[in-house]
Amino acid sequence: MTFYVAFLLPFFIATWLLYCASCLVKDYLRARKIGIPIILLPIDPGNPLWQSIDRKIIAVVKRFPFGSGTWTRYQWRGWEIPDRYKTHQELGDAFIFVTPGNSWLQLCDAEACADVFRRRDDFPRPVETAYLRHRKVTIPCFNEQVSQLVWAESIRQAKGMLEYWTSKATINTVAADTRTLSLHVLSSAGFGKSYPFQSFDDSATAGAASSYRDSFKLILDDCIPLVVLGRKNLEKWYRWLPARWKALHQATVTFSQYMKQVYKEEQRNLLENKNDGNNLVTSLIRASNEMANSTSADGTPESKGTQGGLTEEEIYGNMFIFSFAGHDTTAHVLAFAIVLLSTRPDVQDWIAEELQHVLGEQEEAVEESYNAIFPRLKRCLAVL
């Protein structure tokens, strides 16, 4: 048995490497016909397994004398951020990554990009039908009612954060506290769960204040293993997972249970013609049901192709994407804005002048005055 394993394992590895090499050669020969600069990469940057380990591998390879080449420059997520415009300066407005899996065209020309989007037959999108269906259902959910929830919860969380900060001589948790603020706003506006602000210092020593909130936070913080392995594989391989991934699996179970509960409650409310909430997940469920039950102009059901509603799993997936996309981005913008404002007293005075003019004496009613106040805060919007 040991002999077979010792023989077959290298055989399979060699076969796989030969297959990848042949795919790379085929893609290279195909890309040459385009007539633009080519960069060869040994691994497809869209490979989920590679995305979970790319930064660690690249960091090790860079320590070697040969570690400053093309491979370590482009073969990792986010390479374009430090690279900026350098590669386009070197190679021109268009170049292509050729990998064993796919070829990735990189464009830096506004007219060329617009032309690609116009020529849908020449540049087909493999998921366009599904995309249009999801887009048609989700867009109506981002409405003024949800914006009112975001406004009110943001003010409540900001007041809590300010109260905590003013009670301390120094603050070393700006970034962590803005992540908490962002998490709580998402939790309230997205899922209808509201929590008082709790600083990073306090939460680090406190127990599990809420299984839902802590699960939500853990999923957002450790989403890469979840995306790469999938929820089912985390459950299947639970016994062999590291402790951190076991906690992630438990968080997915807890969060999934809550989502299913919300879904069932909203479906029951729809049957009983009730409207108990206007958060994002309930709005998404209602919009999906309305789309699934809608009819076209000739009276036929619009339930196929781009017209159908979303499945239960698709609703969960959209909520995860909304949360993942909004959590860190919001937290980082707030953290940078606060730190930069601390260095510019003149801008602080400029903003305070606008707040005093707009709010006047109605500070206690600010949470309920989104429509009257938010559009007038031009200077605050300019800072962000």
Side-chain angles (χ1 to χ4, degrees):
M1 183 67 180
T2 305
F3 170 78
Y4 285 114
V5 173
F7 172 75
L8 290 176
L9 185 59
F11 174 76
F12 282 124
I13 293 176
T15 303
W16 177 75
L17 290 175
L18 286 173
Y19 171 74
C20 291
S22 65
C23 291
L24 185 62
V25 171
K26 290 179 181 178
D27 288 344
Y28 171 74
L29 294 175
R30 190 180 297 116
R32 281 186 61 184
K33 299 177 182 179
I34 302 176
I36 61 176
I38 294 174
I39 296 176
L40 291 175
L41 296 178
I43 303 173
D44 188 342
N47 185 309
L49 180 59
W50 173 249
Q51 289 181 346
S52 67
I53 60 174
D54 57 356
R55 291 174 181 267
K56 295 179 181 179
I57 299 297
I58 294 297
V60 173
V61 174
K62 282 184 175 181
R63 298 176 183 176
F64 294 96
F66 54 83
S68 59
T70 298
W71 192 67
T72 54
R73 181 177 178 181
Y74 302 111
Q75 192 73 77
W76 56 284
R77 287 173 296 116
W79 67 269
E80 62 275 7
I81 296 176
D83 194 79
R84 296 181 182 272
Y85 187 65
K86 293 177 184 176
T87 302
H88 284 290
Q89 281 183 319
E90 298 167 5
L91 302 180
D93 289 340
F95 63 90
I96 190 168
F97 288 140
V98 173
T99 77
N102 295 285
S103 295
W104 302 79
L105 177 64
Q106 309 290 323
L107 289 177
C108 186
D109 183 273
E111 292 184 4
C113 290
D115 190 49
V116 167
F117 283 109
R118 282 194 298 265
R119 296 163 55 188
R120 295 190 174 186
D121 293 335
D122 296 327
F123 299 94
R125 303 177 191 177
V127 294
E128 185 165 4
T129 300
Y131 162 75
L132 291 175
R133 179 169 58 88
H134 283 255
R135 183 174 181 269
K136 193 167 185 177
V137 173
T138 57
I139 282 182
C141 301
F142 292 89
N143 51 47
E144 289 300 286
Q145 292 176 324
V146 173
S147 296
Q148 170 64 51
L149 288 175
V150 172
W151 168 267
E153 188 63 32
S154 298
I155 292 174
R156 283 194 290 270
Q157 294 298 320
K159 287 180 177 178
M161 187 168 70
L162 181 62
E163 182 179 350
Y164 172 79
W165 284 0
T166 54
S167 68
K168 301 292 183 179
T170 59
I171 298 296
N172 299 313
T173 58
V174 173
D177 287 345
T178 56
R179 281 177 62 84
T180 299
L181 186 147
S182 174
L183 175 72
H184 286 188
V185 172
L186 277 171
S187 178
S188 177
F191 303 97
K193 288 279 189 178
S194 183
Y195 302 95
F197 177 81
Q198 186 178 31
S199 173
F200 176 80
D201 284 341
D202 294 338
S203 61
T205 57
S210 168
S211 59
Y212 158 76
R213 180 188 62 183
D214 297 336
S215 299
F216 186 34
K217 180 179 184 301
L218 185 56
I219 289 171
L220 292 178
D221 289 345
D222 286 346
C223 65
I224 295 298
L226 180 61
V227 171
V228 172
L229 297 177
R231 184 160 52 94
K232 292 182 179 179
N233 285 329
L234 284 177
E235 182 176 357
K236 181 179 179 181
W237 301 331
Y238 181 79
R239 291 176 55 188
W240 296 279
L241 295 177
R244 187 180 182 90
W245 289 10
K246 286 184 177 180
L248 176 61
H249 169 260
Q250 188 56 48
T252 62
V253 171
T254 302
F255 188 73
S256 178
Q257 290 173 347
Y258 171 74
M259 287 293 294
K260 289 179 180 179
Q261 177 187 345
V262 171
Y263 185 84
K264 290 179 180 178
E265 289 177 356
E266 187 58 28
Q267 292 286 15
R268 186 167 56 250
N269 289 336
L270 287 170
L271 292 174
E272 298 173 358
N273 292 321
K274 293 182 179 178
N275 187 358
D276 291 341
N278 289 311
N279 55 66
L280 191 54
V281 68
T282 57
S283 297
L284 189 59
I285 294 170
R286 287 196 296 269
S288 178
N289 276 270
E290 290 172 3
M291 192 67 64
N293 297 327
S294 63
T295 57
S296 61
D298 60 1
T300 59
E302 295 185 343
S303 57
K304 296 182 179 180
T306 61
Q307 304 300 329
L310 303 179
T311 66
E312 185 176 342
E313 288 296 325
E314 286 175 333
I315 288 175
Y316 299 159
N318 274 283
M319 289 306 303
F320 173 77
I321 292 172
F322 298 156
S323 302
F324 178 68
H327 182 224
D328 276 346
T329 49
T330 303
H332 290 164
V333 167
L334 290 175
F336 272 99
I338 290 170
V339 171
L340 292 174
L341 279 172
S342 68
T343 67
R344 292 295 302 272
D346 57 322
V347 179
Q348 294 179 43
D349 294 338
W350 185 62
I351 294 176
E353 183 181 23
E354 177 183 71
L355 292 174
Q356 183 63 37
H357 173 73
V358 173
L359 298 181
E361 302 298 328
Q362 56 175 324
E363 292 188 18
E364 297 300 323
V366 170
E367 295 177 19
E368 309 299 329
S369 306
Y370 163 74
N371 291 323
I373 295 176
F374 179 75
R376 300 169 61 192
L377 299 178
K378 307 295 185 182
R379 296 181 182 181
C380 293
L381 291 173
V383 169
L384 293 175

